[in-house]
Amino acid sequence: MIESLLLATKFTRQSVAALERALLLMPGHADRIGVLHVVDPDVSVALVLGVGGSPPPILTEWLDVRLPEGLARPEVLIRKGDPHSEILATADARDDDLIVLGSSRPQGLLAGLRGSTIERVLRGGTRPVLSVRQPPQGPYRRILIASDLSGSSGFAAQTALRLGLLRDARIHLVHAVDDEAGAEVGQAEAELRAFAARPDIGLPDGIEVSVLAGSPQTALRSAMDGLAPDLVILGTGGHSGLRRLVLGSVAEDLLAWLPVDVLVVPPEPEL
């Protein structure tokens, strides 16, 4: 379960969807949500704060019109500096379980990936990041997990389970192989089913699995067409170099077209 989460906002349309998703993830516990707004390093924080150093009216009003009546208000946080650095530092200080970001690029999740705030948060952080791409219609019901059968893929699935994101959802595990050889596909499917059943991962029974020939991009596109998920889960740092994939140029091709929310989970911290 999520004990606390950090929502970074820019007051955009995507930020509204991200707030609505954060409230769904923390039902009845909005006070455990940190709503962070980062101001430019050249702007004095005092200029955006309210009377006596209180949260700025624009932010409290933005929250109040969107919070159900009687619900405790999230903690409002104003920081000055580089957005990704302040997001990471604030999440570390609060020990948040999840960072939630609204996508600022409606045409694609990580279009123009390099240098973006989300890219820098993923590159520099150790906490899972949820990029909200669409207004929520309720809890996630159809979830696609991309797997390369590595420990990182297992940790991503474990993290989603721990956060409560897989509850009551239809789950589809997808793996890509390089060619269409029947023996390879059959072996990979057996390995994927064994992966899904691993007790250390703890996934629920009844998960659907698919092994699709082609690149990860092709496999995800095919799986998206069949499942129409409302959440895609990606682990980073697996056998296929998925951390490099997520943070490198291939990601622009793989993720730019995704119209749904994406949870990106960094590698498990080393002991």
Side-chain angles (χ1 to χ4, degrees):
M1 299 299 296
I2 302 173
E3 294 297 327
S4 67
L5 65 80
L6 183 68
L7 167 66
T9 179
K10 295 181 179 179
F11 308 114
T12 62
R13 177 173 57 85
Q14 288 74 29
S15 294
V16 173
L19 172 63
E20 293 173 348
R21 175 58 66 188
L23 292 172
L24 279 174
L25 293 175
M26 301 288 291
H29 297 287
D31 55 328
R32 298 183 189 173
I33 300 172
V35 177
L36 172 67
H37 180 64
V38 181
V39 301
D40 190 274
D42 296 327
V43 175
S44 171
V45 173
L47 295 178
V48 298
L49 292 177
V51 177
S54 61
I58 185 174
L59 184 48
T60 55
E61 292 170 6
W62 183 82
L63 286 171
D64 288 344
V65 298
R66 293 173 174 85
L67 292 175
E69 186 176 353
L71 192 67
R73 181 187 287 167
E75 179 184 9
V76 176
L77 304 159
I78 305 296
R79 300 289 186 267
K80 181 175 74 170
D82 180 80
H84 89 275
S85 298
E86 295 302 325
I87 290 170
L88 292 174
T90 304
D92 286 343
R94 288 169 42 89
D95 195 23
D96 287 303
D97 298 308
L98 179 67
I99 296 172
V100 179
L101 302 175
S103 171
S104 61
R105 300 178 181 273
Q107 76 276 18
L109 172 63
L110 294 180
L113 178 70
R114 294 191 179 278
S116 68
T117 297
I118 188 171
E119 181 265 347
R120 293 183 179 185
V121 170
L122 291 171
R123 194 178 288 276
T126 60
R127 301 176 191 277
V129 176
L130 176 65
S131 178
V132 177
R133 298 284 298 146
Q134 56 187 356
Q137 303 300 313
Y140 293 121
R141 295 304 184 198
R142 299 175 306 280
I143 297 176
L144 189 156
I145 304 176
S147 174
D148 60 1
L149 306 178
S150 69
S152 294
S153 293
F155 183 64
Q158 283 179 315
T159 298
L161 187 65
R162 174 177 57 81
L163 295 174
L165 299 179
L166 306 186
R167 187 184 305 111
D168 301 324
R170 176 186 174 189
I171 304 169
H172 201 119
L173 200 61
V174 176
H175 177 65
V177 294
D178 290 334
D179 61 49
E180 300 180 1
E184 181 175 345
V185 171
Q187 179 181 350
E189 183 171 331
E191 292 175 350
L192 189 60
R193 291 188 182 280
F195 178 88
R198 280 173 46 183
D200 60 315
I201 296 177
L203 290 173
D205 296 332
I207 290 179
E208 301 173 53
V209 301
S210 295
V211 174
L212 302 172
S215 66
Q217 298 96 314
T218 301
L220 276 180
R221 286 180 184 274
S222 298
M224 289 281 295
D225 290 341
L227 180 62
D230 44 25
L231 176 67
V232 173
I233 297 173
L234 300 173
T236 65
H239 294 321
S240 61
L242 192 54
R243 184 170 180 81
R244 176 178 55 80
L245 179 69
V246 168
L247 301 179
S249 60
V250 177
E252 297 185 37
D253 182 48
L254 178 64
L255 298 177
W257 51 270
L258 279 173
V260 302
D261 294 2
V262 180
L263 177 73
V264 183
V265 181
E268 184 172 13
E270 297 182 1
L271 299 177

